[in-house]
Amino acid sequence: MKKKSIAVLAAVAFVFIILLAVLLLMSGTNNPATYSDVKYGPDSRNTLDIYLPDSAENMTADVPAFLYIHGGGWSTGSKEDGKGYAEGLNSNGYAVISINYRYLSDDVDCYDILDDIDLVMKFIDENGADYHIRTDKIAVGGDSAGGHLAMLYAYSRESPVPVAFVMSGVGPADLSDPGFFENPYAAKGSDVFFWSVFNQLAGTNYTLEEMKSGNTPELLKVSPIYYIGEGSAPTVFGYGVKDELVPFSNAERMKAKVESLDGYEYEFWVFENSGHALNENGVDSEVAERYYLGVFEGLEKYLLDY
């Protein structure tokens, strides 16, 4: 299950790199610089990479930043996955910060991972000026588990650097959804995988039958849908109807929630022919282009000052 998750996430990143070509065509020349393996906390996994449009020494003005949180089932993946985002966004004047965080384990739950993201934000707040990164606001995004963490942090935590915009690609929105155990596209054995991972995330001991019933209030507490409100940061969502990991019922639940919020700003993109890897093999290319363009427009709208 985990190997399949890694494969589809790699496909997501590859598709994003291809689609960012349209952004590269709009960009000017630059000499991007990378600052790798920067420590932001005490754990060996507390490292981040900073991608800048130019070297910090050559920059004369602070630039807005996009914080990328990798996916991988909360227990695999790497900050290296942020390179694809940096290629397009650096060329358009944005900094990209891609982070590692502690993997989910018997000793690390979802709240601990959110604490890691909080340490990242404190690092940016205290050190952003050294890299010519703006610290008055930031965008946060991720794919799959990273999308879940991006939403959950943005909606539930008070960040030292205010979150102005969120991107979530196939991010689980409601972990109490019985659809995880009724997904017609799911691989064999996925029910046991989610049962184990969700209990680790929430620090609970629910039985498999309890999760299938949906009577799991503690799972709601680690679900973005539980926290999103009218004052939450605007979000661009992307979901695949045939997702083999995150059931489309999760998308439907989140869409119903945001539609109920008076004045909440969002875009919700449905990839009718896609699984967890959005637009794999070009099956939803038109929607994919509009989705990623929506992300870029969101960055412009909520991060740039006009």
Side-chain angles (χ1 to χ4, degrees), residues 74 101-102 104 108-117 149:
W74 300 276
Y101 49 85
R102 284 175 289 172
L104 185 68
V108 177
D109 61 20
C110 187
Y111 302 104
D112 295 317
I113 299 174
L114 293 178
D115 287 343
D116 281 357
I117 300 172
L149 293 170

Side-chain angles (χ1 to χ4, degrees), residues 19-28 88 91-92:
L19 289 169
L20 277 176
V22 68
L23 304 184
L24 291 170
L25 291 174
M26 298 187 293
S27 65
S91 299
N92 285 273

Side-chain angles (χ1 to χ4, degrees), residues 16 18-28 85 87-89 91-92 292-293 295-297 299:
F16 186 81
I18 297 300
L19 289 169
L20 277 176
V22 68
L23 304 184
L24 291 170
L25 291 174
M26 298 187 293
S27 65
Y85 289 84
E87 287 185 19
L89 295 178
S91 299
N92 285 273
Y292 288 114
L293 186 58
V295 172
F296 184 70
E297 290 174 343
L299 292 171

Side-chain angles (χ1 to χ4, degrees), residues 131-172:
Y131 298 93
H132 284 287
I133 292 173
R134 288 177 55 171
T135 59
D136 59 326
K137 54 186 173 181
I138 195 168
V140 179
D143 298 302
S144 192
H148 163 264
L149 293 170
M151 290 189 290
L152 188 59
Y153 182 83
Y155 306 154
S156 70
R157 294 282 178 111
E158 185 174 345
S159 174
V161 181
V163 177
F165 174 68
V166 182
M167 181 214 81
S168 175
V170 294

Side-chain angles (χ1 to χ4, degrees), residues 78-294:
S78 167
K79 58 185 171 61
E80 300 295 315
D81 296 342
K83 285 182 178 179
Y85 289 84
E87 287 185 19
L89 295 178
N90 279 173
S91 299
N92 285 273
Y94 296 92
V96 173
I97 303 164
S98 187
I99 69 169
N100 279 341
Y101 49 85
R102 284 175 289 172
Y103 288 142
L104 185 68
S105 69
D106 290 337
D107 299 317
V108 177
D109 61 20
C110 187
Y111 302 104
D112 295 317
I113 299 174
L114 293 178
D115 287 343
D116 281 357
I117 300 172
D118 206 44
L119 286 177
V120 171
M121 292 299 194
K122 290 177 181 177
F123 174 87
I124 296 169
D125 185 43
E126 295 171 1
N127 301 281
D130 295 338
Y131 298 93
H132 284 287
I133 292 173
R134 288 177 55 171
T135 59
D136 59 326
K137 54 186 173 181
I138 195 168
V140 179
D143 298 302
S144 192
H148 163 264
L149 293 170
M151 290 189 290
L152 188 59
Y153 182 83
Y155 306 154
S156 70
R157 294 282 178 111
E158 185 174 345
S159 174
V161 181
V163 177
F165 174 68
V166 182
M167 181 214 81
S168 175
V170 294
D174 184 354
L175 303 192
S176 71
D177 179 8
F180 281 100
F181 307 96
E182 303 166 353
N183 187 354
Y185 301 102
K188 184 178 180 180
S190 63
D191 54 349
V192 176
F193 170 80
F194 287 120
W195 166 73
S196 174
V197 169
F198 288 178
N199 269 323
Q200 283 187 314
L201 282 168
T204 53
N205 292 294
Y206 287 120
T207 66
L208 182 57
E209 291 307 312
E210 284 175 322
M211 286 196 188
K212 288 182 178 181
S213 75
N215 184 24
T216 50
E218 293 303 309
L219 294 188
L220 265 180
K221 294 180 182 179
V222 289
S223 298
I225 198 170
Y226 183 74
Y227 299 97
I228 190 171
E230 293 173 2
S232 297
T235 305
V236 171
F237 305 90
Y239 286 99
V241 172
K242 300 178 181 180
D243 195 319
E244 63 275 24
L245 295 176
V246 180
F248 193 64
S249 57
N250 234 236
E252 293 173 324
R253 287 180 172 222
M254 188 53 128
K255 192 170 190 293
K257 179 62 179 286
V258 296
E259 286 178 341
S260 73
L261 301 176
D262 186 33
Y264 181 70
E265 296 186 28
Y266 69 95
E267 287 187 14
F268 209 100
W269 295 101
V270 174
F271 293 66
E272 295 286 349
N273 304 301
S274 293
H276 199 61
L278 298 180
N279 194 38
E280 187 173 24
N281 299 320
V283 294
D284 284 305
S285 56
E286 183 177 342
V287 175
E289 183 175 342
R290 293 163 64 192
Y291 166 65
Y292 288 114
L293 186 58

